[in-house]
Each structure stands twice: as C-alpha cells, then as structure tokens.
Amino acid sequence: MLEFSHHPTLVAASLAVALMAGFSGLAITRGASSLPLGRRKAVVAISAIALGGGIWSMHFVAMLGLQLPILFYYDGLVTLISALIAILMVGLALLILHFHARTLASLTLAGAIVGAGIVAMHYVGMSGMELCRPVYSVGGVAVALVAALALSIAAIWVAYGERTRGHILLGTLFFGISVFVVHFVAMAGTGFVGLGSGGGAGPILSNEILAMGVTLSSFAICGAFLLSGATFFPVKAAGPADLDAAAVLEDEVSTAVPAGARVSVPFEKEGRTQFLDAGAIAAVRAEGHYTVLYSGRDKLFCPWSISEAARRLGPAGLIRTHRSYLVNPAFVTEFRRTKDTGLCFFEAVESLPKVPVSRSRLSGVRDVLGI
C-alpha cells in the first residue's frame, strides 16, 4: 500500500465548495413548490446542477489535494459519469420534494437518495484513477454509507421541515458537512496500489486539465452562491415593526376595495389562471414578490404581493398578523400568547396549521378575535 496525505489548503477549499453549493441549491428552491409548473421544473433543474455539481466539485477539489508518491491520472469518461450520477440523484430527490406532498416518509426518502448519490459519486469517481488503484475496506464503505445517509436525511429534514431562512442555513451546514465527512471517512478506509499502466474505459484526464475543470465549476458555484445570497438576505436589516409600518403605509396609499364586495383571488395552477373566493382562504403568506394562498389541503400560487393582497382582502375580513401573513379569523381555532408575540392555529387547514402574530400586530389581532 502506498502512503498518502492531503494538502490542508485544498481540504479547506473542498469544504467551502460544498457549503456554497449547498446554500445555492437550497436557497434557489425556496418557494419553488408554489411556482407554476414550467418555472418549478427550471428551478429544480438548476438546483440539481448546483447541488450535484457541488458534490462532484468538492470531491475533486479534495482529490487534487491527494498526495501520493507516484503519478496518477483520471479516466475522462468515468469522471464525467460520476458528475452525472451526483446531478441525477440529487435531481430525483428534488423532484420528490417539489412535486409531491412533503411527509416524513418523503423527506426521509429524498435525504436517503441524496446520501446514496454522494456515496455513489465518490466511489465511481475513485474508480476512474489511472496508474493507481484504490483498495477499499468493507468497514470503510459501510461507515461512509451510514454517515452519508444519516447526515443527508438530517439536512433534508432541517431544510425542508420549514422553509425559513434559518432552516435553510442549517440545512446548508448539514449538507456541506455530509459531503465533506463522507469523502474523508471513505478515504480513511481506502488504500492505494501502484499499477504499471492504465486500462481505463476512456481517455486519460491529466491533473492539470481536471484542475481547470474543477476551477471552472467552483467559480460557477461561487457565482451562484453570491447571486443566491443577494436575494436570500434582505438588503436592509429592518426590524418587524419597520416592515409592518412600511406595509401599512403602502396599504394606505393604495386604492381601497369597497367594503362588502365579493373578492375573487387569482392563482396559477397547471399553467392556467384560476380564481378562488376570498371566503375560502384561511391564510396568505408572502413568497418574495408573490404570495401563497392556503385553503384546506391546497397551497396555491398567487401573483399578488402581500401588500396587494392585504389591500384587496381587507374588505373580505382577512387581517394582517405579521409582515408576511394575512389570516381569515373565521378559520382560527386557537390563539396562543408567546411573550411579546402570538400564534394563530387552524385545525381544519392541513396545509398551514399555524401562523405567527408579530408584536406590532398583537393588539389588533386580539381585538378582532375578541380576546
């Protein structure tokens, strides 16, 4: 067996690539399930490339830091196949997450697919080595697989349990650590044997060419990371009261809808614009420049902004409980006070069991609810 070590700078760089890819992929898909079908497909495809490409890039950044006493290369075809495996496996997991109902079973299945993709990409990528053959231990493979499954399932549970910024950031951490840990756990259970000549299935890929490819993919991941960060974090760090006040001002300068008027709310479904009576809406949530309507089991994409929805749905009885939420009091079955804020609960609304009430809106909500 050959002695080997890793360059510490490239080890750190590989972790950074995994974290940036994780953030980009998970942030891009925030709100994707509420988008029209065509846009949702595009977002899922881009996210699959970001996450799968990040898994592949992390692996080969770390492999560029692998130091062996002999020269070695990679088989170009096998290296390409390893990248495709990562992208396709992650893409399959994202299809489950964004085109099916999210249950504990579906979240676990998606996480397991991502974990299996990480392991498969690693060992397929390793099999492409030329002039040097990796030798695996059964224990090393088993530990790598268990680590990949456990960490990837945890990442999906956290990132998709609730699609808040905090959950996505924590899910990013789990995803990046999952890819990083699996690689080096697998390497700890791997030995290397020198070969006299290569016998790969495709053209030999030199370390220099591989480094150029990995550099380009890493630059793309960095770009996606910066673009995602620009839209993920608010430009101004305004507090809830500031944002609520701005929303109120916008509501006041808008043209009012006559009280008592019947309001039909547009939503997009299967590429068509349909309408829902405001009385059937339990709550409305802001999603970027658009909103999501909650009615029974349904979550529907609405082209109105939260301020437009507040202006139009006020006469129908919906009230602002938070800068990001409107609530129909007729659907509220329980109210809980939590220090300076509160929570409204809906027993009959499967798609949204509870909604937060901000401190600045607490008094008004309590008055409407009669408490």
Side-chain angles (χ1 to χ4, degrees):
M1 292 290 180
L2 300 173
E3 295 290 332
F4 68 93
S5 61
H6 290 89
H7 195 289
T9 301
L10 288 173
V11 170
S14 68
L15 176 58
V17 168
L19 290 171
M20 287 190 292
F23 174 77
S24 300
L26 295 175
I28 287 170
T29 55
R30 185 169 184 249
S33 296
S34 302
L35 296 176
L37 186 60
R39 289 179 60 190
R40 195 190 322 173
K41 289 179 179 178
V43 168
V44 166
I46 293 170
S47 178
I49 293 172
L51 291 171
I55 294 170
W56 181 86
S57 298
M58 179 274 147
H59 171 82
F60 280 101
V61 168
M63 290 304 291
L64 287 172
L66 178 66
Q67 298 171 332
L68 286 169
I70 63 170
L71 191 64
F72 63 96
Y73 301 100
Y74 294 91
D75 183 279
L77 178 59
V78 175
T79 301
L80 176 60
I81 290 173
S82 68
L84 292 176
I85 287 173
I87 292 171
L88 291 175
M89 294 287 278
V90 171
L92 177 59
L94 291 174
L95 288 176
I96 293 172
L97 292 169
H98 292 281
F99 289 88
H100 294 83
R102 288 178 198 155
T103 62
L104 185 60
S106 65
L107 293 178
T108 302
L109 177 60
I113 291 172
V114 172
I118 294 172
V119 172
M121 189 288 311
H122 175 88
Y123 286 108
V124 171
M126 293 289 288
S127 69
M129 295 182 72
E130 300 283 348
L131 307 182
C132 177
R133 179 170 61 88
V135 179
Y136 312 115
S137 68
V138 176
V141 174
V143 173
L145 180 59
V146 171
L149 293 175
L151 290 170
S152 296
I153 290 172
I156 296 300
W157 278 358
V158 171
Y160 281 89
E162 289 188 35
R163 300 293 280 159
T164 63
R165 289 186 176 90
H167 280 79
I168 290 174
L169 290 174
L170 189 56
T172 294
L173 183 62
F174 273 95
F175 175 84
I177 291 175
S178 174
V179 180
F180 182 81
V181 167
V182 169
H183 176 87
F184 287 101
V185 165
M187 291 298 289
T190 302
F192 295 93
V193 177
L195 300 176
S197 60
I204 289 177
L205 183 65
S206 71
N207 287 343
E208 289 77 11
I209 295 175
L210 178 63
M212 291 177 62
V214 171
T215 299
L216 288 174
S217 67
S218 298
F219 269 122
I221 290 170
C222 288
F225 171 75
L226 293 174
L227 290 174
S228 301
T231 56
F232 184 80
F233 296 101
V235 176
K236 180 186 176 183
D242 296 331
L243 293 171
D244 282 343
V248 170
L249 179 61
E250 185 176 346
D251 292 344
E252 289 174 351
V253 300
S254 300
T255 304
V257 176
R262 183 178 181 275
V263 181
S264 294
V265 185
F267 65 91
E268 304 290 336
K269 188 174 183 180
E270 299 176 353
R272 296 180 298 155
T273 299
Q274 302 178 51
F275 293 89
L276 179 68
D277 187 85
I281 299 172
V284 181
R285 177 175 61 83
E287 187 68 45
H289 297 295
Y290 307 100
T291 49
V292 178
L293 312 177
Y294 293 90
S295 179
R297 297 181 178 181
D298 297 325
K299 292 194 298 183
L300 306 170
F301 172 78
C302 176
W304 291 348
S305 68
I306 190 67
S307 296
E308 178 75 0
R311 179 177 68 84
R312 291 179 175 271
L313 297 178
L318 274 74
I319 59 173
R320 195 75 170 262
T321 64
H322 186 275
R323 65 180 183 274
S324 299
Y325 287 93
L326 299 174
V327 162
N328 188 338
F331 287 86
V332 177
T333 56
E334 182 182 352
F335 175 83
R336 294 182 192 173
R337 178 73 178 268
T338 56
K339 294 185 179 179
D340 294 331
T341 59
L343 289 171
C344 290
F345 290 84
F346 310 85
E347 286 186 3
V349 185
E350 296 182 26
S351 56
L352 186 69
K354 61 183 178 181
V355 164
V357 179
S358 64
R359 179 174 56 185
S360 61
R361 301 279 178 173
L362 187 60
S363 176
V365 171
R366 288 170 62 91
D367 286 343
V368 172
L369 295 177
I371 54 177

